[in-house]
Amino acid sequence: MAVACYERKEVAVADDDAPQGVLLSGEANVAVRIKLEREARGWSTNALSDRLNEAGFEMNPSAVWRIENGKRRINLDEAIGFAEVFGMDLRNLVGPPQLAAQARAMELIDAVVDAFRETQRANAAYTQARDALDAYLAEHPDIREEADVMVSNAMAEASAQHLLEAYGPPSAEHQDEADTSDEA
């Protein structure tokens, strides 16, 4: 089993610089994102502190400034508070600021990752089912040919149905080509 290793990189972000094309660590992402969100709303650190306090997350303006400038770490409860005050998902707050600012991009990224995970689960289920069938057929070789034909036909039918749903019926040009190849 392969194990992926990731190195955490500390990145300092100057007040004037918004990160461009740099994937920061989660905490650095949050710090930059908090500042970007606060400024986009035209809020001072005092105003953000007031909103956090009203939402039940006690924080003074100095703490907000220190978090934004990497002088103070943020805990999970505080991150949840910032996400709530900004009206966003925590994952969006923690993600890379250049992507997180585009909520639709984050939604689409999540959809791609979820779909990939589904394909991984489906591939594992297919492998298990195929292995179980192969083991059974090894014990019953007299039905292997018929079983293999049934599996092939069912898979071909499922594939054709998927193509029909994904791309619609074949065009007249492609249908003519299929008819010609059937006659040959």
Side-chain angles (χ1 to χ4, degrees):
M1 176 169 59
V3 176
C5 295
Y6 298 95
E7 181 180 324
R8 183 177 175 177
K9 295 184 179 180
E10 296 296 326
V11 179
V13 178
D15 288 349
D16 307 309
D17 298 336
Q20 297 296 319
V22 177
L23 295 181
L24 307 173
S25 70
E27 264 189 88
N29 285 346
V30 173
V32 170
R33 187 64 193 277
I34 289 169
K35 187 172 186 173
L36 289 173
E37 290 297 325
R38 179 182 61 75
E39 290 175 346
R41 289 167 172 74
W43 297 347
S44 65
T45 55
N46 286 343
L48 178 53
S49 170
D50 290 345
R51 283 179 169 79
L52 286 164
N53 292 329
E54 289 168 10
F57 300 94
E58 296 299 317
M59 184 170 297
N60 63 45
S62 174
V64 172
W65 183 91
R66 289 193 322 268
I67 289 169
E68 287 181 353
N69 290 283
K71 308 288 186 204
R72 178 185 178 285
R73 297 190 72 170
I74 184 169
N75 69 41
L76 180 58
D77 289 335
E78 292 167 340
I80 291 168
F82 281 108
E84 185 176 310
V85 167
F86 293 138
M88 66 178 53
D89 185 80
L90 183 60
R91 186 175 8 184
N92 199 341
L93 181 70
V94 175
Q98 60 273 28
L99 290 179
Q102 302 294 323
R104 181 67 177 143
M106 291 301 290
E107 289 172 13
L108 294 171
I109 289 167
D110 288 345
V112 167
V113 171
D114 289 345
F116 174 76
R117 288 180 179 139
E118 287 177 31
T119 64
Q120 295 299 300
R121 285 189 292 272
N123 284 333
Y126 170 78
T127 299
Q128 288 176 339
R130 186 69 227 199
D131 289 348
L133 177 61
D134 287 342
Y136 183 84
L137 293 177
E139 295 173 5
H140 302 87
D142 54 311
I143 62 168
R144 176 174 284 286
E145 187 175 334
E146 185 176 325
D148 284 341
V149 167
M150 287 180 67
V151 168
S152 293
N153 287 344
M155 290 173 70
E157 187 177 315
S159 180
Q161 183 63 36
H162 169 74
L163 289 173
L164 185 62
E165 290 169 4
Y167 302 107
S171 66
E173 178 181 313
H174 288 110
Q175 190 61 43
D176 290 343
E177 290 173 10
D179 291 344
T180 305
S181 65
D182 288 343
E183 294 171 3

